[in-house]
Each structure stands twice: as structure tokens, then as C-alpha cells.
């Protein structure tokens, strides 16, 4: 069985949606003003974003985007850095990986 839907509460739906579209290729399939957005990936999984004024995820909470190669991880890392995000270079851990704080109040891991 495949997990194919996840909802995140975020403090800025528009900024989170645009971030996920630009860096991870998600496509918006529906919105309701600034309070809700539904995004889909190329496998049909759906990520919904709902507005919450106070967003507080546990320190270790994150979502991840697995890439096909170290080169792709490096490319996303460099693009985020060029766009002003505070990202450390990828490192060898449980794969080739790095983390970034996304607009909206959640963390994203990029790895292969």
C-alpha cells in the first residue's frame, strides 16, 4: 500500500505552494484563496496545504523528496542557495542529503 496523501498546516500557503512548485515540480490542482492549496506530484500523490496562524512542528519533523542522483541533489541545493535559502552543502548520512527550512514553517529533506 502506498501513502498517497499528506496534509501540512502552514503559516503561508502561497509561499509554501510556490516553493514546492519551483524546487520540487509539484503542480497546483486547486486552491481556496490563501487558506488552502492542493498539489500533486507526477505519481498522483496529493499534498494539501492548510493555513494555520501558529505552526509548530516537532524539531525532527520533515517531508522528503528523493532524487535519482547526487548530481540532482547538488543542483537543487545550489539553486536554493542562489535564491537566498540558508542551506548547508549535502553530506553523506543515510544517503546524499541536506535539509532546508521551507516557507510556511516546515522542513524539507532532499536526498538520494
Amino acid at each position: 500500500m502506498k501513502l498517497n496523501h499528506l496534509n501540512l498546516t502552514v503559516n503561508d500557503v502561497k509561499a509554501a505552494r510556490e516553493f514546492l512548485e519551483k524546487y520540487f515540480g509539484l503542480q497546483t490542482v486547486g486552491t481556496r484563496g490563501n487558506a488552502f492549496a492542493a498539489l500533486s506530484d507526477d505519481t498522483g500523490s496529493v499534498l494539501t496545504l492548510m493555513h494555520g496562524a501558529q505552526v509548530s512542528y516537532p524539531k525532527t519533523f520533515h517531508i522528503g523528496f528523493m532524487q535519482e542522483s547526487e548530481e540532482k541533489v547538488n543542483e537543487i541545493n545550489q539553486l536554493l542557495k542562489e535564491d537566498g535559502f540558508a542551506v548547508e552543502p549535502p553530506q553523506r548520512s543515510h544517503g546524499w542529503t541536506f535539509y532546508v527550512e521551507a516557507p510556511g514553517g516546515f522542513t524539507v529533506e532532499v536526498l538520494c
Side-chain angles (χ1 to χ4, degrees), residues 23 65 67-82 87-92 95-98 110-112:
Y23 299 104
F65 289 95
Q67 304 300 310
E68 66 274 2
S69 67
E70 290 185 6
E71 291 75 21
K72 186 65 178 172
V73 172
N74 294 342
E75 178 185 312
I76 295 169
N77 182 272
Q78 184 62 37
L79 181 57
L80 287 162
K81 196 175 296 181
E82 289 170 2
V87 291
E88 296 294 322
Q91 60 183 343
R92 188 90 41 222
W96 188 241
T97 184
F98 73 93
V110 181
L111 71 155
C112 72

Side-chain angles (χ1 to χ4, degrees), residues 37-111:
L39 298 101
S40 182
D41 69 9
D42 55 1
T43 68
S45 292
V46 175
L47 174 64
T48 54
L49 307 171
M50 291 184 170
H51 181 263
Q54 296 288 327
V55 176
S56 179
Y57 287 106
K59 182 179 172 135
T60 59
F61 176 84
H62 63 279
I63 63 171
F65 289 95
M66 304 255 333
Q67 304 300 310
E68 66 274 2
S69 67
E70 290 185 6
E71 291 75 21
K72 186 65 178 172
V73 172
N74 294 342
E75 178 185 312
I76 295 169
N77 182 272
Q78 184 62 37
L79 181 57
L80 287 162
K81 196 175 296 181
E82 289 170 2
D83 287 349
F85 287 91
V87 291
E88 296 294 322
Q91 60 183 343
R92 188 90 41 222
S93 181
H94 49 283
W96 188 241
T97 184
F98 73 93
Y99 296 85
V100 59
E101 296 301 314
F106 61 99
T107 301
V108 172
E109 179 180 15
V110 181
L111 71 155

